[in-house]
């Protein structure tokens, strides 16, 4: 009986381990993929800079505090205050956006809802909910759409309310639909393609690096204890295997006369 329990536990862990990456990726057919590296401190620091300068004006990280950010990313408090803290002067505060909320009455639309059609969401857990592939693809997939109020649309999130705030960096893309090539077995679907029509301040490679750092930071922000969890995982699994071995040996010792 004890052996069966141990075996079942290992099988369940293996199945869960195989399933979690699929869930974390957000599923679906995304145009780009991204593998986060939250151990890359330089990337996280650049990502924090990118987020605070381009995203924090509208989007909060309400579950993360400035002092935790500074500690984890090895940013001195003086630099934190000067370069990353634009909405508060207290390092113990949560990271909240500077977006005006209008009336305190929840039945009255906020200013941001009036401007964009909906309030910009908090992004604390977006990397856990959507997955890093989704964030990376989303930020690379804006294209010009004159039918939209913001002038842009997005391949990953059609009908997007957010303006392309990184358009001056990436440039402006148009959506090109390519006809399926001969021998294409994709069911006759047209393949979407994006082409730069107005160059931005960064080259395509530089912009991808910019988005990679930003995505990496958002993966960290969604789980600040990620690196510690991963580091702790190896000894925990080793202990589990060792404990399972001793449990099996103990079971065999107890049951040897019964069999």
């Amino acid at each position: 009986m004890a052996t069966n329990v141990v075996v079942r536990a290992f099988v369940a862990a293996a199945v869960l381990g195989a399933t979690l990456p699929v869930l974390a990726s957000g599923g679906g057919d995304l145009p780009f993929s991204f593998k986060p590296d939250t151990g890359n401190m330089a990337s996280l620091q650049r990502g924090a800079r990118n987020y605070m300068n381009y995203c924090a004006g509208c989007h909060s990280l309400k579950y993360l505090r400035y002092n935790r950010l500074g500690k984890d990313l090895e940013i001195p408090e003086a630099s934190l205050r000067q370069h990353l803290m634009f909405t508060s002067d207290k390092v113990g505060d949560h990271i909240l956006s500077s977006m005006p909320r209008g009336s305190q009455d929840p039945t009255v639309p906020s200013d941001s809802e009036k401007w964009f059609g909906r309030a910009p969401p908090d992004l604390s857990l977006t990397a856990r909910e959507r997955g890093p592939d989704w964030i990376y693809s989303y930020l690379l997939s804006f294209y010009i759409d004159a039918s939209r109020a913001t002038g842009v649309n997005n391949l990953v999130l059609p009908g997007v309310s957010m303006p392309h705030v990184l358009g001056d960096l990436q440039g402006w893309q148009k959506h090109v639909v390519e006809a399926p090539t001969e021998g294409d077995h994709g069911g006759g679907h047209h393949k979407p393609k994006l082409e730069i029509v107005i160059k931005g301040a960064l080259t395509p490679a530089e912009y991808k690096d910019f988005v990679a750092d930003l995505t990496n930071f958002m993966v960290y922000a969604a789980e600040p204890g990620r690196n510690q969890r991963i580091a702790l995982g190896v000894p925990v699994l080793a202990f589990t295997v060792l404990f399972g071995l001793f449990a099996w040996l103990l079971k065999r010792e107890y049951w040897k006369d019964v069999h």
Side-chain angles (χ1 to χ4, degrees):
M1 181 64 71
T3 304
N4 290 338
V5 171
V6 172
V7 170
R8 289 174 182 173
F10 278 116
V11 171
V15 172
L16 181 61
T19 305
L20 283 177
V22 176
L23 296 175
S25 68
D29 186 16
L30 296 171
F32 303 98
S33 62
F34 176 76
K35 184 177 181 181
D37 179 11
T38 52
N40 186 338
M41 196 60 61
S43 173
L44 292 179
Q45 291 171 350
R46 292 192 299 267
R49 175 203 63 194
N50 298 345
Y51 186 94
M52 294 304 176
N53 281 280
Y54 290 93
C55 308
C58 296
H59 298 283
S60 299
L61 294 172
K62 63 182 180 181
Y63 298 122
L64 183 63
R65 297 178 186 271
Y66 287 105
N67 54 2
R68 175 66 189 267
L69 169 68
K71 178 181 178 182
D72 289 346
L73 273 54
E74 300 175 1
I75 301 174
E77 184 174 320
S79 296
L80 188 70
R81 289 179 178 275
Q82 181 178 357
H83 301 294
L84 299 181
M85 294 180 60
F86 304 133
T87 61
S88 175
D89 57 358
K90 298 178 181 178
V91 293
D93 282 352
H94 292 89
I95 300 175
L96 301 178
S97 76
S98 57
M99 181 67 67
R101 297 299 171 182
S103 172
Q104 297 299 315
D105 184 349
T107 64
V108 177
S110 66
D111 293 342
S112 57
E113 287 178 282
K114 297 175 184 176
W115 297 337
F116 303 115
R118 58 164 297 184
D122 177 84
L123 300 183
S124 299
L125 302 178
T126 301
R128 296 291 298 273
E129 176 190 5
R130 300 278 196 174
D133 288 355
W134 190 94
I135 298 172
Y136 186 70
S137 297
Y138 172 75
L139 293 174
L140 290 173
S141 299
F142 280 90
Y143 63 90
I144 297 170
D145 184 350
S147 68
R148 302 291 303 167
T150 58
V152 294
N153 212 329
N154 193 284
L155 287 180
V156 176
L157 189 62
V160 62
S161 300
M162 188 180 92
H164 187 19
V165 295
L166 302 178
D168 289 341
L169 298 180
Q170 181 187 23
W172 301 91
Q173 303 180 117
K174 68 176 181 178
H175 184 198
V176 180
V177 179
E178 294 184 334
T181 58
E182 185 177 350
D184 184 7
H185 301 291
H189 295 294
H190 296 273
K191 182 180 179 182
K193 182 181 179 181
L194 298 174
E195 292 182 353
I196 294 285
V197 292
I198 302 176
K199 291 184 179 180
L202 303 179
T203 66
E206 290 171 340
Y207 182 72
K208 284 188 175 181
D209 289 341
F210 181 97
V211 171
D213 291 333
L214 179 54
T215 305
N216 210 27
F217 170 74
M218 290 184 65
V219 172
Y220 152 77
E223 187 183 1
R226 171 187 170 92
N227 290 344
Q228 292 88 335
R229 172 177 60 78
I230 293 174
L232 187 62
V234 174
V236 168
L237 289 175
F239 170 79
T240 303
V241 171
L242 186 62
F243 178 80
L245 176 62
F246 279 116
W248 177 76
L249 291 174
L250 183 62
K251 179 264 179 186
R252 191 175 69 168
E253 179 66 23
Y254 277 140
W255 286 76
K256 65 181 181 180
D257 295 330
V258 176
H259 296 298

